[in-house]
């Protein structure tokens, strides 16, 4: 399921960020690749997938796909 959201929190030392999604939920994301995510970046992909599988997400600001784990949904 493709969901779009905006980055609202970043912890570069842990390689994690939070995305506020269009459906009102917030996803905690752990980056598995190297990508420099910033506040207000637009992220899309399977942000609701908490199955402990790596998912491919897309950063519109970097025009690039990257691998990540969805750690938690709020």
């Amino acid at each position: 399921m493709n969901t779009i959201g905006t980055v609202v929190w970043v912890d570069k030392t842990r390689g994690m960020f939070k995305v506020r999604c269009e459906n009102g939920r917030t996803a905690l994301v752990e980056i598995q690749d190297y990508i420099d995510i910033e506040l207000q970046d637009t992220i899309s992909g399977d942000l609701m997938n908490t199955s402990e599988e790596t998912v491919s997400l897309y950063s519109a600001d970097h025009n690039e796909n990257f691998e990540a784990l969805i750690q938690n949904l709020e």
Side-chain angles (χ1 to χ4, degrees):
M1 179 175 153
N2 193 42
T3 305
I4 299 171
T6 304
V7 176
V8 295
W9 173 85
V10 177
D11 184 338
K12 292 185 183 210
T13 59
R14 293 174 45 197
M16 301 182 90
F17 62 93
K18 285 187 178 183
V19 178
R20 175 144 308 122
C21 301
E22 61 192 354
N23 63 7
R25 299 193 73 186
T26 302
L28 176 63
V29 180
E30 180 181 347
I31 301 168
Q32 300 295 300
D33 276 341
Y34 176 79
I35 188 167
D36 189 21
I37 298 297
E38 300 287 341
L39 288 174
Q40 302 302 311
D41 282 0
T42 300
I43 306 295
S44 61
D46 196 2
L47 291 163
M48 300 295 110
N49 183 347
T50 58
S51 67
E52 297 185 16
E53 291 179 11
T54 302
V55 295
S56 180
L57 301 178
Y58 176 75
S59 168
D61 299 83
H62 295 281
N63 193 29
E64 175 177 356
N65 288 310
F66 64 97
E67 300 298 311
L69 289 171
I70 311 303
Q71 296 290 342
N72 191 21
L73 291 173
E74 296 173 357

